[in-house]
Short mmCIF file of all heavy atoms in Angstrom, two decimals:
data_model
loop_
_atom_site.label_atom_id
_atom_site.label_comp_id
_atom_site.label_asym_id
_atom_site.label_seq_id
_atom_site.Cartn_x
_atom_site.Cartn_y
_atom_site.Cartn_z
N ARG A 2 45.63 10.72 -55.09
CA ARG A 2 45.56 10.84 -53.58
C ARG A 2 46.08 12.16 -53.17
O ARG A 2 45.52 12.83 -52.31
CB ARG A 2 46.35 9.72 -53.01
CG ARG A 2 46.09 9.62 -51.47
CD ARG A 2 46.62 8.41 -50.84
NE ARG A 2 46.33 8.54 -49.52
CZ ARG A 2 46.71 7.64 -48.54
NH1 ARG A 2 47.41 6.69 -49.03
NH2 ARG A 2 46.42 7.76 -47.31
N ARG A 3 47.21 12.65 -53.80
CA ARG A 3 47.74 14.00 -53.48
C ARG A 3 46.58 15.12 -53.84
O ARG A 3 46.57 16.09 -53.15
CB ARG A 3 49.03 14.27 -54.17
CG ARG A 3 50.14 13.49 -53.52
CD ARG A 3 51.45 13.97 -54.09
NE ARG A 3 52.40 13.15 -53.38
CZ ARG A 3 53.71 13.21 -53.87
NH1 ARG A 3 54.01 13.97 -54.98
NH2 ARG A 3 54.62 12.51 -53.21
N SER A 4 46.02 14.92 -54.91
CA SER A 4 44.99 15.95 -55.34
C SER A 4 43.82 16.05 -54.27
O SER A 4 43.42 17.01 -53.93
CB SER A 4 44.46 15.66 -56.80
OG SER A 4 45.48 15.69 -57.65
N PHE A 5 43.44 14.76 -53.87
CA PHE A 5 42.33 14.85 -52.93
C PHE A 5 42.80 15.42 -51.71
O PHE A 5 41.99 16.10 -51.05
CB PHE A 5 41.82 13.37 -52.85
CG PHE A 5 40.75 13.21 -51.78
CD1 PHE A 5 39.44 13.76 -52.10
CD2 PHE A 5 40.98 12.76 -50.51
CE1 PHE A 5 38.40 13.65 -51.23
CE2 PHE A 5 39.98 12.64 -49.55
CZ PHE A 5 38.62 13.12 -49.96
N SER A 6 43.94 15.22 -51.14
CA SER A 6 44.47 15.71 -49.98
C SER A 6 44.57 17.29 -50.04
O SER A 6 44.27 18.07 -49.10
CB SER A 6 45.85 15.07 -49.57
OG SER A 6 45.70 13.74 -49.30
N TYR A 7 45.07 17.68 -51.26
CA TYR A 7 45.24 19.07 -51.41
C TYR A 7 43.86 19.88 -51.49
O TYR A 7 43.78 20.83 -50.88
CB TYR A 7 45.94 19.32 -52.86
CG TYR A 7 46.06 20.85 -53.15
CD1 TYR A 7 46.95 21.64 -52.45
CD2 TYR A 7 45.29 21.42 -54.18
CE1 TYR A 7 47.12 22.93 -52.81
CE2 TYR A 7 45.35 22.76 -54.41
CZ TYR A 7 46.32 23.50 -53.76
OH TYR A 7 46.44 24.83 -54.04
N ILE A 8 42.88 19.30 -52.04
CA ILE A 8 41.52 19.81 -52.11
C ILE A 8 40.93 19.82 -50.67
O ILE A 8 40.33 20.85 -50.28
CB ILE A 8 40.64 18.98 -53.08
CG1 ILE A 8 41.07 19.33 -54.50
CG2 ILE A 8 39.14 19.43 -52.90
CD1 ILE A 8 40.31 18.41 -55.48
N LEU A 9 41.03 18.79 -49.94
CA LEU A 9 40.62 18.72 -48.63
C LEU A 9 41.27 19.84 -47.76
O LEU A 9 40.60 20.46 -46.88
CB LEU A 9 40.70 17.32 -47.95
CG LEU A 9 40.19 17.04 -46.71
CD1 LEU A 9 38.64 17.28 -46.72
CD2 LEU A 9 40.37 15.73 -46.27
N PHE A 10 42.65 19.92 -47.88
CA PHE A 10 43.34 20.92 -47.11
C PHE A 10 42.99 22.24 -47.45
O PHE A 10 42.78 23.18 -46.58
CB PHE A 10 44.83 20.74 -47.36
CG PHE A 10 45.69 21.63 -46.62
CD1 PHE A 10 45.86 21.61 -45.23
CD2 PHE A 10 46.39 22.76 -47.29
CE1 PHE A 10 46.71 22.41 -44.54
CE2 PHE A 10 47.14 23.65 -46.58
CZ PHE A 10 47.28 23.48 -45.23
N THR A 11 42.66 22.57 -48.74
CA THR A 11 42.14 23.87 -49.13
C THR A 11 40.81 24.26 -48.61
O THR A 11 40.61 25.41 -48.08
CB THR A 11 42.19 23.93 -50.74
OG1 THR A 11 43.51 23.64 -51.20
CG2 THR A 11 41.74 25.38 -51.22
N LEU A 12 39.92 23.26 -48.55
CA LEU A 12 38.61 23.47 -48.02
C LEU A 12 38.66 23.70 -46.45
O LEU A 12 37.87 24.49 -45.90
CB LEU A 12 37.67 22.15 -48.33
CG LEU A 12 37.23 22.03 -49.81
CD1 LEU A 12 36.50 20.78 -49.95
CD2 LEU A 12 36.36 23.19 -50.29
N LEU A 13 39.52 23.02 -45.80
CA LEU A 13 39.74 23.23 -44.36
C LEU A 13 40.25 24.55 -44.10
O LEU A 13 39.74 25.18 -43.19
CB LEU A 13 40.61 22.10 -43.84
CG LEU A 13 40.86 22.06 -42.39
CD1 LEU A 13 39.57 21.90 -41.57
CD2 LEU A 13 41.88 21.08 -41.96
N LEU A 14 41.21 25.09 -44.88
CA LEU A 14 41.63 26.35 -44.71
C LEU A 14 40.67 27.42 -44.94
O LEU A 14 40.46 28.43 -44.15
CB LEU A 14 42.87 26.69 -45.62
CG LEU A 14 44.22 26.01 -45.06
CD1 LEU A 14 45.39 26.28 -46.07
CD2 LEU A 14 44.64 26.53 -43.70
N ALA A 15 39.83 27.27 -46.02
CA ALA A 15 38.74 28.16 -46.30
C ALA A 15 37.74 28.20 -45.12
O ALA A 15 37.19 29.25 -44.81
CB ALA A 15 38.03 27.72 -47.57
N ALA A 16 37.36 27.04 -44.51
CA ALA A 16 36.43 26.99 -43.46
C ALA A 16 36.97 27.80 -42.26
O ALA A 16 36.31 28.47 -41.57
CB ALA A 16 36.10 25.53 -43.19
N ILE A 17 38.22 27.57 -41.99
CA ILE A 17 38.84 28.32 -40.80
C ILE A 17 38.82 29.68 -41.02
O ILE A 17 38.60 30.57 -40.19
CB ILE A 17 40.27 27.80 -40.56
CG1 ILE A 17 40.26 26.21 -39.97
CG2 ILE A 17 41.07 28.57 -39.60
CD1 ILE A 17 41.52 25.60 -39.95
#
Side-chain angles (χ1 to χ4, degrees):
R2 187 169 181 186
R3 283 188 181 167
S4 296
F5 180 73
S6 297
Y7 178 73
I8 293 171
L9 187 59
F10 180 72
T11 304
L12 289 174
L13 181 61
L14 284 178
I17 291 172

